[in-house]
């Protein structure tokens, strides 16, 4: 018995790039992904939230790099052989396009998902991060969480990060 | 029954009339001189209009009747259009359009030009030709111009771009003529510019403009042929003509950007055309400026500009004074003959190129420094690599120079400003320009205009005295404003110098104390007092601007300059004048930076803000109770900031003696920054950190370093203005950073 109509997922059918964080599997819409690069030296930016790893030089453009693990508050481990940076293009609330690098544990594959594969994110009981979940996809027995790139890194509705308050006594 | 209702309100006929007039306009757009194409449709539409005569306001009906007369003339005569008849019809059409608008809005009809009532005597035409001017029946109201946006979009865009340049040229040339009224080359180039403009306007059927441009062209032609000599009247006319055309071009621009597309544009050209024509007829001008000249001085100078003027009476006899124009300046002709060709370029492409070249330079140095490559023992390879680095360096220098433009155009705009203000305030001012060739990044030049206007305006408004006052003080009647640009200290120095009354030191200090900006007991130096005028609190006070001058928005001026990573300094001597010195980087894209090490990270401090750097000796640093640390630099206690603590990275320099102190300054304040090591000094290409870091103010940007990594550029302004840390501050938890 299904008491309420099934909620519609935000995710559209199409191709998704899947990657792993720890034991879990996630996906970005492929259209948002600009490139995947190997982990390179990252220049840390002072007084930023912990998930902000710093900035890198992407062929002449300086782009910020965020750690998805830290963002999702997973246990931090050191980066492994397969760790890499997925560069995604996001539209800022002000309508501009900007590039952001996200560190993930490993890139898996590009999968094609039909509407039948995708279901809406269940209500996790007030978990804060459900907003950035487009939907869940079940393929080959595994569940992949499809992420809304635009919403993951929004802080108070804006991409702009504020310096962490001065740590003073 | 229905017809009766229509008759009751003639306004109901408006749409019909408007439709015919717009169709008529379309036909007129296609007629060509010496052809009969379009003659019959025009005639037919005119007949349609005549049929509606009793339903339209009398003025419109009369207008239709007049056009009927002209068309009959054509039909009876050669049965082809001439330049003149086309122009007449177009102007008539424009008049009718504005009349229709007045009808629709119920406002007063554009006045009926009485000349249209006369049959047009051939004598008048001949007289006109003789004068080299179009004596066109002047529209009593300004004629409206309507753009045909859908069809002419591309042409209009091109026209707008070209016109803006032409009009700027005209303005600058006109000002050159003021200094040198006999410069044939300049007269020619104004003539050509108006001619080109006329062509464009004619092509797009912008009739009122074409007429104006044509008349001004005729005026210049008369000067060129030495029938007239340059007077300040002529220059005024050329300038106001250019202004009117500019105004129109701006309207076109607005419509191209989608504001009120298709709305008629009113161009206030009538008065100018009248003045031009009366000048060409050799009449005294309507302008009052001639009288002013006669008053001001016999030295034929006007408002500080050496303008050759003739007595207004003499204007009627041009031959008496005309010999002024002679090909004496042939030498300048040779100069302009070698004019270089230019390509217009999208700035985004340029920035992109500079970025890519920057990357190339880095890639090149990475290849050269690669350990594997260095192991190869080959003379051939070494030669090739050397060649490669030479080429990349050249390429980078060239790419950078692409963005550089001379300051001349901006300086020349100031000429116009000075001229206008001098006339307005009846002051005698001489603007001396120096170093116009100096090149600056175009982004800087663009943003420097407003501050310059502001400062020059201030200098004229408040700095320079009236001629009488100056004479009383034993100064020359002519006030001098010297605007100069030069290379200095690895950047550009722009100096605005006036020989006016100077800043009122006491007055500024009093107001500052009154406002609580300065404590009365404080001992302040002159330069500290003068820099008070940059404070917003002070500049908005009306009283002080009246008395001491300066200050209207000087805070804005300073902010603009600081945004350009520049600095501004003031020097003022009472009764002798004031000098503003603006120090700017050559380009916004590249800065000279000090690369410093803090913990494991590298940061860049812009060299322009660095006053000095040294390794402190024991005892130089002392803790002040609840005020943090200070370091004594040349006997002055300067607050010290330990960068590692502030940035949250573990430092190797626990004792200040282990590190390096870099004294940075911003505005009037300075601060010592303690870093671990000085790594080097290098030019870096500044990159934006992007939206994610837009809100923080610790970093001013990033730069790609020689090894391909990113170095962060510290925002010195923020660091200097930080409140002092208490000494015992714990360093931030660095694990949260990396």
């Amino acid at each position: 018995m299904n008491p309420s109509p099934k909620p519609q997922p935000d995710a559209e059918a199409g191709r998704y790039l899947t990657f792993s964080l720890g034991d879990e599997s996630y996906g970005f819409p492929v259209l948002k992904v600009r490139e995947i690069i190997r982990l390179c030296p990252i220049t840390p930016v002072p007084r930023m939230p912990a998930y902000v790893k710093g900035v890198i030089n992407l062929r002449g453009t300086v782009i910020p790099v965020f750690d998805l693990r830290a963002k999702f508050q997973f246990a931090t481990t050191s980066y492994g052989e397969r760790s890499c940076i997925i560069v995604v293009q996001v539209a800022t609330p002000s309508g501009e396009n900007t590039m952001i690098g996200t560190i993930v544990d490993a890139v898996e594959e590009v999968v094609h998902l039909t509407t039948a594969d995708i279901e809406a994110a269940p209500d996790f009981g007030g978990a804060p991060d459900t907003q950035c979940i487009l939907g869940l996809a079940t393929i080959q027995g595994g569940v992949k969480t499809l992420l809304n790139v635009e919403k993951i890194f929004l802080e108070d509705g804006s991409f702009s990060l504020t310096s962490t308050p001065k740590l003073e006594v | 029954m229905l017809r009766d209702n229509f008759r009751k309100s003639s306004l109901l006929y408006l749409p019909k009339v408007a439709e015919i007039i717009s169709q008529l306009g379309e036909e007129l757009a296609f007629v060509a001189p010496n052809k009969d194409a379009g003659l019959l449709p025009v005639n037919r539409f005119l007949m349609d209009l005549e049929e509606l005569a009793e339903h339209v306001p009398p003025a419109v009906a009369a207008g239709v009747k007049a056009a009927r007369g002209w068309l009959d003339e054509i039909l009876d005569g050669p049965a082809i259009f001439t330049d003149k008849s086309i122009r007449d019809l177009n102007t008539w059409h424009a008049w009718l359009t504005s009349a229709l608008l007045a009808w629709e809005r119920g406002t007063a009809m554009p006045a009926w030009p009485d000349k249209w009532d006369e049959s047009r005597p051939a004598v008048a035409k001949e007289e006109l030709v003789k004068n080299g001017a179009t004596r066109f029946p002047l529209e009593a109201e300004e004629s409206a111009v309507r753009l045909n946006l859908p069809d002419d979009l591309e042409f209009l865009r091109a026209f707008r771009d070209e016109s803006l340049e032409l009009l700027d040229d005209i303005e600058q040339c006109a000002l050159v003529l003021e200094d040198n009224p006999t410069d044939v080359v300049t007269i020619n180039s104004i003539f050509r510019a108006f001619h080109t403009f006329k062509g464009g306007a004619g092509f797009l059927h912008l009739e009122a403009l074409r007429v104006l441009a044509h008349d001004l062209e005729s005026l210049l032609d008369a000067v060129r042929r030495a029938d007239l000599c340059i007077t300040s009247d002529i220059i005024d006319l050329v300038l106001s003509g250019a202004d009117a055309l500019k105004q129109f071009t701006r309207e076109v621009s607005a419509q191209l950007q989608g504001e009120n597309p298709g709305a008629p544009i009113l161009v206030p050209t009538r008065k100018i055309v009248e003045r031009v024509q009366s000048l060409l007829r050799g009449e005294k001008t309507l302008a009052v400026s001639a009288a002013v000249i006669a008053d001001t001085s016999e030295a034929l100078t006007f408002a500080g500009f050496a303008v050759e003027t003739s007595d207004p009476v003499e204007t009627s006899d041009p031959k008496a004074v005309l010999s002024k124009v002679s090909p004496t300046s042939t030498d300048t002709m040779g100069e302009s003959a070698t004019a270089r060709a230019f390509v217009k370029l999208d700035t985004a492409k340029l920035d992109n190129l500079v970025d890519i070249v920057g990357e190339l330079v880095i890639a090149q140095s990475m290849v050269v420094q690669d350990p594997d490559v260095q192991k190869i023992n080959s003379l051939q390879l070494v030669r090739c690599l050397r060649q490669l680095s030479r080429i990349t360096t050249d390429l980078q220098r060239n790419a950078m120079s692409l963005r550089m433009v001379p300051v001349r155009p901006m300086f020349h705009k100031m000429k116009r400003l000075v001229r206008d203000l001098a006339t307005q305030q009846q002051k005698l001012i001489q603007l001396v320009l120096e170093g116009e060739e100096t090149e600056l990044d175009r982004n800087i030049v663009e943003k420097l205009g407003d501050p310059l206007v502001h400062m020059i305006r201030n200098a004229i408004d408040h700095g320079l005295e009236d001629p009488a006052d100056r004479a009383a003080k034993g100064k020359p009647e002519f006030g001098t404003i010297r605007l100069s640009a030069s290379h200095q200290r690895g950047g550009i120095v722009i100096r605005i110098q006036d020989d006016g009354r100077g800043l009122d030191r006491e007055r500024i200090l009093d107001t500052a104390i009154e406002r609580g900006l300065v404590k009365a007991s404080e001992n302040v130096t002159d330069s500290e007092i003068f820099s008070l005028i940059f404070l917003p609190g002070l500049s908005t006070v009306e009283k002080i601007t009246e008395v001491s001058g300066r200050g209207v928005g000087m805070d804005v001026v300073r902010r603009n300059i600081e945004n350009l990573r520049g600095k501004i300094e003031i020097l003022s001597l009472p009764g002798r004048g004031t000098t503003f010195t603006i120090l700017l980087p050559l380009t916004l894209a590249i800065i000279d930076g000090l690369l410093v090490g803090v913990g494991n990270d590298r940061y860049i401090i812009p060299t322009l803000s660095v006053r000095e750097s040294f390794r402190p000796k024991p005892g130089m640093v002392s803790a002040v109770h609840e005020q943090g640390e200070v370091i004594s630099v040349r006997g002055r206690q300067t607050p010290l900031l330990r960068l590692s603590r502030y940035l949250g990275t573990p430092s190797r320099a626990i004792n200040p003696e282990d590190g390096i102190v870099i004294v940075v300054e911003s505005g009037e304040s300075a601060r010592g920054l303690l870093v671990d090591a000085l790594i080097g000094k290098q030019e870096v290409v500044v990159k934006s950190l992007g939206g994610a870091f837009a809100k923080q103010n610790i970093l001013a940007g990033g730069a790609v370093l020689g090894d391909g990594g990113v170095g962060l550029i510290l925002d010195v302004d923020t660091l200097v203005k930080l409140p002092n840390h208490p000494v015992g501050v714990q360093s931030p938890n660095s694990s949260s950073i990396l």
Side-chain angles (χ1 to χ4, degrees):
Chain A
M1 248 178 71
N2 203 349
S4 61
K6 203 176 166 186
Q8 281 301 304
D10 291 331
E12 291 170 9
R15 295 198 294 160
Y16 286 81
L17 174 78
T18 64
F19 54 88
S20 64
L21 287 180
D23 299 331
E24 295 175 25
S25 186
Y26 293 85
F28 281 150
V30 141
L31 290 176
K32 296 282 178 193
V33 176
R34 294 300 297 270
E35 60 189 290
I36 300 164
I37 54 177
R38 282 198 317 185
L39 220 50
C40 57
I42 299 170
T43 304
V45 176
R47 308 184 78 135
M48 282 290 144
Y51 68 87
V52 179
K53 283 295 143 193
V55 289
I56 55 165
N57 164 28
L58 185 73
R59 290 187 306 285
T61 310
V62 176
I63 66 164
V65 176
F66 299 150
D67 187 334
L68 264 192
R69 257 180 183 279
K71 178 69 191 175
F72 292 158
Q73 288 158 9
F74 289 5
T76 44
T77 52
S78 58
Y79 301 123
E81 267 289 286
R82 300 187 61 203
S83 297
C84 60
I85 300 173
I86 303 178
V87 179
V88 289
Q89 172 140 33
V90 296
T92 62
S94 58
E96 291 157 42
N97 279 325
T98 180
M99 286 196 285
I100 289 176
T102 55
I103 305 179
V104 301
D105 286 355
V107 168
E108 290 170 350
E109 58 180 339
V110 174
V111 291
H112 189 91
L113 299 176
T114 62
T115 34
D117 299 327
I118 306 171
E119 57 186 300
D123 189 352
F124 286 118
D129 285 339
T130 44
Q131 268 222 347
C132 63
I133 299 179
L134 287 170
L136 299 178
T138 316
I139 41 166
Q140 294 151 14
V143 174
K144 302 196 186 291
T145 310
L146 307 179
L147 297 172
N148 181 338
V149 183
E150 254 96 24
K151 293 227 171 105
I152 303 174
F153 300 109
L154 283 186
E155 294 270 320
D156 304 328
S158 150
F159 266 111
S160 294
L161 303 158
T162 32
S163 307
T164 49
K166 260 167 63 175
L167 305 169
E168 276 182 27
V169 279
Chain B
M1 182 68 184
L2 209 61
R3 264 191 98 71
D4 285 343
N5 284 341
F6 274 121
R7 283 210 179 99
K8 272 182 197 155
S9 164
S10 71
L11 210 54
L12 289 172
Y13 279 89
L14 184 78
K16 175 88 178 140
V17 177
E19 192 197 338
I20 297 175
I21 288 175
S22 97
Q23 284 171 325
L24 191 62
E26 276 172 33
E27 284 303 328
L28 281 177
F30 291 107
V31 299
N34 304 325
K35 296 228 173 78
D36 64 355
L39 189 56
L40 294 178
V42 169
N43 190 36
R44 196 186 67 230
F45 285 127
L46 214 50
M47 278 154 68
D48 287 352
L49 282 178
E50 281 176 304
E51 274 174 28
L52 294 169
E54 50 177 316
H55 306 300
V56 300
V60 175
V64 173
K65 204 170 154 225
R68 170 84 272 153
W70 302 344
L71 213 64
D72 282 347
E73 219 173 70
I74 300 172
L75 288 167
D76 293 345
I80 52 165
F81 286 108
T82 61
D83 268 333
K84 181 156 175 53
S85 56
I86 293 173
R87 194 178 333 117
D88 288 359
L89 280 168
N90 275 322
T91 319
W92 169 81
H93 183 254
W95 176 84
L96 204 55
T97 311
S98 56
L100 225 55
L101 202 70
W103 180 19
E104 186 185 350
R105 290 185 182 159
T107 51
M109 283 283 153
W112 175 247
D114 23 339
K115 281 174 189 155
W116 283 8
D117 284 335
E118 309 160 12
S119 59
R120 302 174 321 145
V123 193
K125 265 187 211 166
E126 266 186 34
E127 183 197 323
L128 215 72
V129 173
K130 201 176 71 197
N131 283 324
T134 21
R135 164 93 57 95
F136 179 71
L138 294 162
E139 312 90 282
E141 283 298 307
E142 303 298 358
S143 54
V145 173
R146 210 181 267 273
L147 304 180
N148 186 358
L149 279 174
D151 295 341
D152 292 344
L153 198 61
E154 279 311 305
F155 296 128
L156 280 169
R157 281 211 184 105
F159 174 75
R160 171 197 57 188
D161 294 348
E162 188 191 42
S163 303
L164 286 178
E165 261 172 43
L166 285 174
L167 295 171
D168 275 351
D169 286 353
I170 290 173
E171 196 176 298
Q172 283 174 26
C173 288
L175 295 169
V176 170
L177 276 191
E178 290 212 300
D179 289 338
N180 188 2
T182 60
D183 187 345
V184 180
V185 178
T186 311
I187 293 172
N188 276 333
S189 48
I190 301 181
F191 173 80
R192 267 197 307 275
F194 275 126
H195 183 80
T196 314
F197 188 93
K198 184 181 81 171
F203 181 67
L204 289 163
H205 306 288
L206 310 173
E207 203 41 38
L209 301 172
R210 209 193 62 84
V211 172
L212 177 59
H214 175 85
D215 282 0
L216 288 167
E217 183 193 333
S218 312
L219 185 68
L220 266 300
D221 194 38
V223 175
R224 211 162 60 139
R225 287 185 285 111
D227 288 346
L228 281 177
C229 69
I230 290 287
T231 62
S232 68
D233 271 345
I234 292 184
I235 289 170
D236 274 346
L237 268 178
V238 168
L239 286 176
S240 43
D243 279 349
L245 298 177
K246 234 184 217 171
Q247 189 192 333
F248 171 81
T249 315
R250 270 197 291 271
E251 296 276 345
V252 172
S253 202
Q255 291 207 4
L256 283 172
Q257 278 157 17
E259 284 172 32
N260 309 319
I265 302 173
L266 274 175
V267 203
T269 58
R270 190 172 55 90
K271 283 219 173 79
I272 304 168
V273 173
E274 273 173 11
R275 280 173 61 192
V276 172
Q277 296 192 350
S278 68
L279 257 180
L280 282 167
R281 285 194 301 273
E283 290 167 10
K284 278 193 210 174
T285 55
L286 313 168
V288 285
S289 44
V292 181
I293 304 162
D295 286 346
T296 351
S297 71
E298 285 153 65
L300 305 181
T301 44
F302 174 54
F305 283 81
V307 183
E308 295 282 349
T309 61
S310 53
D311 188 298
V313 184
E314 283 180 358
T315 339
S316 56
D317 183 11
K319 298 280 175 199
V321 272
L322 54 83
S323 50
K324 298 285 177 204
V325 181
S326 57
T328 44
S329 43
T330 34
D331 50 337
T332 47
M333 249 167 163
E335 212 172 87
S336 62
T338 57
R340 284 174 269 174
F342 290 99
V343 174
K344 266 193 230 162
L345 208 59
D346 185 350
T347 48
K349 284 186 186 170
L350 208 60
D351 290 347
N352 213 358
L353 177 75
V354 173
D355 270 1
I356 295 169
V357 170
E359 282 305 292
L360 179 70
V361 173
I362 291 161
Q364 175 260 338
S365 72
M366 281 164 89
V367 169
V368 173
Q369 286 161 18
D370 189 280
D372 289 342
V373 172
Q374 285 180 336
K375 267 184 230 153
I376 303 169
N377 194 4
S378 151
L379 202 59
Q380 179 62 20
L381 180 70
V382 170
R383 234 179 257 142
C384 288
L385 288 178
R386 205 178 295 146
Q387 176 75 352
L388 179 66
S389 65
R390 198 174 310 138
I391 293 170
T392 41
T393 316
D394 263 13
L395 187 60
Q396 189 182 31
R397 198 177 310 130
N398 267 295
M400 291 304 176
S401 75
L402 289 181
R403 303 158 59 118
M404 307 296 264
V405 293
V407 295
R408 188 190 304 106
M410 184 182 63
F411 273 22
H412 280 248
K413 280 196 187 120
M414 302 304 145
K415 262 185 154 176
R416 175 76 192 269
L417 176 77
V418 171
R419 179 190 192 273
D420 288 353
L421 286 178
T423 316
Q424 200 184 326
Q425 305 189 5
Q426 313 245 320
K427 288 181 180 172
L428 295 170
I429 304 165
Q430 172 186 9
L431 178 68
V432 181
L433 300 180
E434 283 165 9
E436 297 162 55
E437 292 303 321
T438 313
E439 289 194 329
L440 254 179
D441 190 301
R442 59 179 297 279
N443 294 336
I444 299 183
V445 172
E446 269 168 20
K447 288 180 189 135
L448 199 58
D450 284 348
L452 270 193
V453 166
H454 218 105
M455 282 186 283
I456 289 189
R457 187 176 271 277
N458 270 347
I460 297 173
D461 282 355
H462 313 298
L464 294 174
E465 310 91 334
D466 296 328
D469 289 356
R470 292 182 66 89
K473 285 181 193 163
K475 292 183 183 181
E477 282 193 340
F478 270 85
T480 304
I481 295 180
R482 194 175 292 273
L483 183 58
S484 67
S486 59
H487 286 265
Q488 215 175 311
R489 297 189 238 171
I492 296 281
V493 175
I494 307 250
R495 197 164 277 141
I496 301 137
Q497 195 174 5
D498 68 58
D499 63 350
R501 51 173 81 91
L503 293 176
D504 189 340
R505 185 184 180 281
E506 301 308 315
R507 185 78 205 183
I508 297 170
L509 191 57
D510 287 353
T511 316
I513 291 170
E514 205 175 286
R515 305 249 131 198
L517 298 164
V518 177
K519 286 191 202 102
S521 55
E522 253 177 285
N523 198 1
V524 279
T525 64
D526 275 5
S527 82
E528 277 166 339
I529 293 173
F530 294 149
S531 64
L532 286 171
I533 67 169
F534 292 120
L535 294 178
L538 214 82
S539 62
T540 47
V541 187
E542 231 16 77
K543 247 187 274 167
I544 195 149
T545 57
E546 276 170 21
V547 179
S548 78
R550 327 277 179 196
V552 191
M554 282 308 279
D555 58 319
V556 181
V557 168
R558 176 154 83 172
R559 204 180 319 130
N560 284 348
I561 296 201
E562 281 178 354
N563 285 345
L564 296 171
R565 288 204 284 277
K567 284 201 285 190
I568 181 163
E569 291 162 6
I570 311 174
L571 194 75
S572 183
L573 289 172
R576 300 272 295 279
T578 308
T579 304
F580 287 90
T581 307
I582 303 172
L583 212 72
L584 288 167
L586 268 179
T587 161
L588 288 181
I590 302 178
I591 59 164
D592 242 351
L594 273 188
L595 196 58
V596 300
V598 181
N600 293 320
D601 304 326
R602 292 171 299 182
Y603 290 93
I604 296 158
I605 301 174
T607 313
L608 205 66
S609 326
V610 174
R611 197 191 281 166
E612 58 188 316
S613 60
F614 55 88
R615 184 176 291 277
K617 293 191 185 76
M620 279 176 96
V621 176
S622 41
V624 179
H625 178 62
E626 284 186 349
Q627 289 291 317
E629 290 169 306
V630 292
I631 183 159
S632 139
V633 182
R634 295 181 205 289
R636 253 185 119 145
Q637 299 298 325
T638 310
L640 180 73
L641 177 72
R642 293 183 184 228
L643 263 189
S644 60
R645 281 187 192 168
Y646 180 67
L647 299 173
T649 34
S651 167
R652 286 189 291 262
I654 308 297
N655 295 317
E657 298 86 62
D658 299 334
I660 301 277
V661 170
I662 294 169
V663 182
V664 292
E665 56 188 354
S666 168
E668 290 304 305
S669 21
R671 179 163 243 162
L673 303 177
L674 181 66
V675 300
D676 289 358
L678 210 54
I679 300 172
K681 195 178 164 189
Q682 75 179 97
E683 277 194 345
V684 292
V685 179
V686 182
K687 312 264 179 178
S688 155
L689 289 179
F693 302 109
K695 272 195 199 156
Q696 58 81 34
N697 59 359
I698 303 170
L699 305 169
V704 179
L705 299 176
D707 58 3
V710 180
L712 299 172
I713 302 168
L714 293 171
D715 189 331
V716 171
D717 203 42
T718 305
L719 296 179
V720 167
K721 287 181 181 147
L722 278 177
N724 245 359
H725 289 232
V727 182
V729 64
Q730 291 295 308
S731 68
N733 184 2
S734 55
S735 72
S736 71
I737 305 295
L738 186 94

